[in-house]
Amino acid sequence: MNKHIKKVAVIGSGIMGSGIACHFANIGVEVLLLDIVPRELNDKEKAKGLTLEDKVVRNRLVNDSLATALKSKPSPIYDQKFASRITTGNMQDDISKVSKVDWIIEVVVERLDIKKQVFENLEKHRTPGTLITTNTSGIPIHFMSEGRSEDFQKHFCGTHFFNPARYLKLFEIIPGPKTDSEVLDFLNGYGEKYLGKTSVIAKDTPAFIGNRIGTFSIQSLFHSVKELGMTVEEVDKLTGPVIGRPKSATFRTVDVVGLDTLVHVANGIYENCPDDERREVFK
């Protein structure tokens, strides 16, 4: 596949979406970052007399998320001026702009029903041949591509970045049942050459590789902590640098990843692995 990535669209501006957007900006790629439109005004907007139709309100979620990411540490952006490569918008007013990008990356909440709805909307505007991938932490890829066109499925797979996207090396590529082998080869090489990652082709099994192992480790520890009556501080003291692991240890790592994400991944493994000999660990 002879493809040059000049512009990507990142759908979802949470901690992962904004982080991925920043990492593409780091390597010189233009980014379109989109999120949903707020359902109601906040107090500041009410005080200014704004309405839900004002652009500043409609893009509030995406702009606030990106601003928060740019202030975070470790910084997701190599140089603050690189943030100018990121254009923000919302899923109602700006979704048609995905027709002009080379790669669409979905990074919305870990719910299959929401992801499928997002893909249905994206397909209405996606140009045939455009790469389209999901950053899901563990939802089976074949569930998400059901009902989509042949061209969509041919160019669709999982591209799982780990948080923080700029710093963690692992880049899981998970094919769906109809993913073209040339798409996998391209993403594998792009991850290594341009994104600075260690690319790994994973099987489409619940939680793939990293999160299947990591979630088992964390969940197993949680059960032990409950039995032993240990505190959060004690657990992080014993499961960090003292045993050769990062200083974020266990609970701080979960805090960075997001408790909601951990719960979604653990539940997904429990529901989709009925024959796993250690299935109860994920409950």
Side-chain angles (χ1 to χ4, degrees):
M1 175 180 281
N2 185 16
K3 197 173 187 67
H4 185 61
I5 304 298
K6 296 180 180 178
K7 189 169 186 176
V8 304
V10 178
I11 313 300
S13 65
I15 188 170
M16 277 306 302
S18 290
I20 291 170
C22 286
H23 194 51
F24 274 94
N26 285 336
I27 63 170
V29 175
E30 296 293 319
V31 182
L32 173 67
L33 181 62
L34 304 181
D35 212 319
I36 59 174
V37 174
R39 295 177 180 174
E40 56 186 29
L41 299 170
N42 60 27
D43 291 339
K44 288 183 179 179
E45 291 163 346
K46 290 177 183 176
K48 292 179 180 178
L50 298 173
T51 72
L52 290 173
E53 297 306 311
D54 286 304
K55 186 175 181 179
V56 67
V57 175
R58 295 177 73 79
N59 289 350
R60 185 224 310 155
L61 294 179
V62 65
N63 287 335
D64 285 356
S65 294
L66 179 58
T68 298
L70 291 171
K71 294 176 185 176
S72 66
K73 293 183 179 181
S75 178
I77 201 94
Y78 183 76
D79 190 307
Q80 289 293 320
K81 67 183 180 184
F82 291 170
S84 63
R85 295 169 181 161
I86 304 173
T87 301
T88 57
N90 67 74
M91 288 290 288
Q92 290 183 25
D93 304 328
D94 305 292
I95 191 170
S96 63
K97 294 177 182 177
V98 303
S99 65
K100 304 278 180 64
V101 307
D102 305 297
W103 181 358
I104 303 168
I105 306 173
E106 170 273 313
V107 202
V108 304
V109 65
E110 283 290 280
R111 274 181 48 184
L112 178 61
D113 58 331
I114 293 177
K115 288 182 182 292
K116 292 190 76 168
Q117 183 179 8
V118 167
F119 288 131
E120 183 178 354
N121 291 335
L122 286 170
E123 186 161 27
K124 297 173 184 176
H125 304 280
R126 170 186 169 270
T127 300
T130 301
L131 297 172
I132 182 159
T133 66
T134 173
N135 189 64
T136 180
S137 298
I139 298 175
I141 303 303
H142 63 276
F143 287 168
M144 286 180 275
S145 60
E146 289 176 351
R148 304 274 58 83
S149 68
E150 283 292 318
D151 187 82
F152 186 107
Q153 294 189 57
K154 179 181 177 181
H155 294 89
F156 178 73
C157 67
T159 48
H160 185 209
F161 293 80
F162 289 77
N163 186 34
R166 176 185 170 190
Y167 299 94
L168 295 195
K169 299 284 285 185
L170 184 58
F171 181 56
E172 294 178 331
I173 303 165
I174 312 99
K178 296 183 179 180
T179 308
D180 193 302
S181 60
E182 288 189 2
V183 170
L184 298 178
D185 290 342
F186 173 81
L187 290 171
N188 190 50
Y190 192 89
E192 297 267 354
K193 185 175 181 179
Y194 296 102
L195 294 173
K197 302 300 181 186
T198 300
S199 301
V200 177
I201 305 293
K203 292 181 179 179
D204 189 15
T205 53
F208 319 127
I209 302 171
N211 278 347
R212 183 67 173 270
I213 297 169
T215 303
F216 175 84
S217 175
I218 289 175
Q219 288 288 118
S220 181
L221 180 62
F222 282 174
H223 287 291
S224 298
V225 167
K226 185 177 180 181
E227 293 170 7
L228 296 172
M230 298 177 70
T231 66
V232 169
E233 291 77 15
E234 288 171 339
V235 173
D236 275 4
K237 184 71 173 179
L238 294 171
T239 59
V242 71
I243 59 170
R245 290 187 174 182
K247 62 182 180 181
S248 57
T250 300
F251 283 98
R252 276 174 288 181
T253 296
V254 171
D255 199 35
V256 170
V257 171
L259 278 171
D260 56 337
T261 299
L262 175 64
V263 170
H264 281 304
V265 174
N267 286 341
I269 297 173
Y270 183 81
E271 293 166 5
N272 294 301
C273 297
D275 300 321
D276 192 300
E277 66 270 20
R278 298 296 302 278
R279 184 179 183 226
E280 293 304 311
V281 168
F282 299 101
K283 191 173 182 180

